[in-house]
Amino acid sequence: MTTLDNRPNTALLVVDVQKGVVDEAHERDTVVANIGSLVEKARQERVPVVWVQHSDEQMAKGSDDWRIVPELTPGIGEPLVEKTYGDSFEDTMLETVLSGLGVGRLVVVGAATDVCIRSTLHGALVRGYDATLVSDAHTTDDQTAWGAPPPDQVIAHTNLYWTYQTAPGRTAGTVGTRDVAFGGMS
């Protein structure tokens, strides 16, 4: 239902699945495998896969931690958007890339749940996109030392509240990896 005109297409948005972001993340291997299966499914269905890669003072561009995990490789011609803020749209070329692909609906996966995933989901919704979070294809690391709930609770809470997000003329929600149907969610 996107509020964006002439944007009938869906894209898989892979956010920050980088070594320094997910190496110690909750259920890292399962989440990366789920993302990998979605990337392959999107490619088979000719659905655009758009990659997002974060850099900042703690994760310098070009460093080993900055690199996308070795299990996942952006394909030739798949856009890679570099960012420096939590919201993948903020001060990046993401909107230009998605507009060029005619995308009005995003299926979002990646890390970190409590920072870049949440910011990007909200950024998408307020900009007019439909935004679906894949409930078992996002993760975060343990921030309990700073007062946050354990990672499994952060992930569960994010899945819960995103299931019930609404905005005029837009859809949000969650779906499991096995139920992703890029033409529409099961």
Side-chain angles (χ1 to χ4, degrees):
M1 278 179 32
T2 178
T3 61
L4 301 170
D5 292 333
N6 301 312
R7 301 279 198 94
N9 300 327
T10 299
L12 177 64
L13 188 65
V14 182
V15 179
D16 300 351
V17 188
Q18 298 162 253
K19 292 175 76 174
V21 178
V22 301
D23 270 357
E24 296 183 22
H26 180 72
E27 296 187 4
R28 180 233 186 259
D29 293 343
T30 300
V31 170
V32 169
N34 288 345
I35 293 169
S37 71
L38 290 167
V39 167
E40 289 308 312
K41 183 176 186 170
R43 289 172 178 161
Q44 289 170 359
E45 295 182 22
R46 300 189 193 284
V47 169
V49 178
V50 179
W51 301 81
V52 178
Q53 193 170 16
H54 187 83
S55 64
D56 58 25
E57 289 179 8
Q58 292 78 36
M59 193 164 50
K61 185 176 176 178
S63 69
D64 194 47
D65 281 348
W66 174 80
R67 299 190 193 298
I68 292 174
V69 297
E71 298 95 325
L72 302 174
T73 304
I76 295 171
E78 291 176 347
L80 181 100
V81 175
E82 295 181 4
K83 71 177 184 64
T84 56
Y85 296 100
D87 180 351
S88 298
F89 289 91
E90 194 65 42
D91 198 27
T92 71
M93 296 298 297
L94 183 56
E95 170 55 26
T96 301
V97 167
L98 296 173
S99 176
L101 295 168
V103 169
R105 180 171 169 261
L106 297 172
V107 176
V108 180
V109 299
T113 300
D114 43 351
V115 185
C116 298
I117 294 299
R118 287 173 56 163
S119 297
T120 298
L121 286 166
H122 287 286
L125 200 63
V126 301
R127 288 172 174 87
Y129 290 87
D130 293 336
T132 300
L133 175 62
V134 182
S135 61
D136 55 355
H138 65 97
T139 188
T140 192
D141 56 359
D142 189 340
Q143 301 290 323
T144 56
W146 293 274
D152 61 328
Q153 291 179 18
V154 170
I155 293 163
H157 180 256
T158 302
N159 288 338
L160 175 67
Y161 88 77
W162 199 254
T163 297
Y164 298 103
Q165 285 295 310
T166 59
R170 288 152 280 168
T171 61
T174 59
V175 65
T177 295
R178 73 170 187 253
D179 295 324
V180 170
F182 289 109
M185 294 300 157
S186 303

